[in-house]
Amino acid sequence: MGWLLTITSTVLMFLIVVAVFLSSVALQVSNRWSVQLVNTAVVQLPLVSDGEAERLLNAVDIVLSRTPGVEGYALLDDATVRADLAEWLGEVPQDDLLPLPRLIQLRLGPAPLDTVALQSQLDAVAPGAIFDDYNEWRGPLSGSVLAIRILAFGSVALLVFALAVLIWLTIRSALSANGKVIEIVSQLGANERFIRRGLTKRYLGLVALGALIGSAVAMIGIYLLPTPADDGALLSDFTPTLAEWAAITAVPLAIILLAYSIIRQTIGEVFSKTP
């Protein structure tokens, strides 16, 4: 029974630490998406000849410089556009088979932006230019961010609850199975406080051992995740910061304190019902 408690604590502790880390990653991703979409917009220029493109760019530059709510803007070079398209379409060829759109990225300020007036001015000076403030993406994104946060915190809470229930059931089962032994020890002269302290120390040690092993394995796995230099690393941009390492390290300590509280309360309940 004791080793079963240690093994299951190890597995659940591993899952809890990984869930905390993935929750942090999910929150970083959702927050980054939110910031990018809320504070940025883009103007797509029509595909024209090089000479005409220069004239359109100058005209759009004048419009944007006079538009309240536009804090800054910059023409994206072909390399940046190609890299952005590659995230959706795969590798973009370097030749002229696929004409790259000319995009101006806008950084929006705190002042309100009249998008209708801006689009009208763009139509006047650069017919075919399209202003996109990602408004159609913001609603679904807000719902997705909320769902990600609920899923992240819900997963951690569910695993902690499962571990707490496991500890409670294991302690009650163990005390029930060893009731005769406890009764004999009491008859030999051991007082109740001594027995409670011994049982608490034993079961807390088993849970703590599992918690430390599980968290250590999880931390090693997180540490060995691909670095930003590795190509194709899915989480390469989300290696834990010092604050996140501190939070991950605090998880097993918090679980051990929770286990101590559950073990002590469960033992107290069992002894209080014992004649």
Side-chain angles (χ1 to χ4, degrees), residues 36-255:
Q36 287 180 344
L37 290 187
V38 169
N39 298 329
T40 61
V42 68
V43 173
Q44 179 178 340
L45 300 177
L47 294 174
V48 294
S49 61
D50 291 342
E52 184 68 11
E54 190 68 25
R55 185 193 68 79
L56 291 179
L57 184 59
N58 292 333
V60 172
D61 179 73
I62 295 174
V63 171
L64 295 178
S65 63
R66 297 175 179 176
T67 301
V70 178
E71 196 172 80
Y73 53 90
L75 178 67
L76 299 180
D77 56 33
D78 289 349
T80 302
V81 174
R82 185 174 282 105
D84 291 340
L85 290 176
E87 296 183 3
W88 302 92
L89 305 177
E91 187 65 27
V92 179
Q94 297 285 342
D95 51 32
D96 297 330
L97 294 178
L98 179 64
L100 294 177
R102 296 176 64 85
L103 302 177
I104 301 176
Q105 188 173 54
L106 279 60
R107 187 175 70 256
L108 305 181
L113 177 65
D114 190 341
T115 58
V116 176
L118 176 57
Q119 183 63 62
S120 299
Q121 295 181 56
L122 291 174
D123 291 338
V125 301
I130 301 174
F131 171 76
D132 186 6
D133 60 355
Y134 307 117
N135 191 50
E136 62 178 306
W137 295 94
R138 289 178 183 171
L141 178 65
S142 299
S144 299
V145 169
L146 178 60
I148 288 173
R149 290 176 176 173
I150 293 175
L151 180 62
F153 290 114
S155 300
V156 175
L158 237 108
L159 287 169
V160 172
F161 176 75
L163 180 58
V165 172
L166 169 73
I167 295 171
W168 180 77
L169 289 174
T170 303
I171 299 302
R172 290 190 67 89
S173 300
L175 292 178
S176 177
N178 294 281
K180 292 295 183 182
V181 176
I182 295 173
E183 183 179 349
I184 292 173
V185 173
S186 300
Q187 291 175 354
L188 291 175
N191 58 42
E192 183 177 311
R193 183 178 179 183
F194 174 81
I195 297 174
R196 286 191 185 191
R197 187 166 59 245
L199 291 172
T200 301
K201 183 178 179 180
R202 168 175 166 74
Y203 291 116
L204 181 62
L206 293 173
V207 174
L209 178 61
L212 294 176
I213 293 175
S215 58
V217 173
M219 290 179 190
I220 292 173
I222 292 171
Y223 178 78
L224 294 178
L225 283 174
T227 62
D230 295 332
D231 295 331
L234 180 61
L235 301 178
S236 59
D237 294 330
F238 304 102
T239 49
T241 62
L242 183 60
E244 289 169 339
W245 274 122
I248 292 173
T249 305
V251 171
L253 301 178
I255 293 298

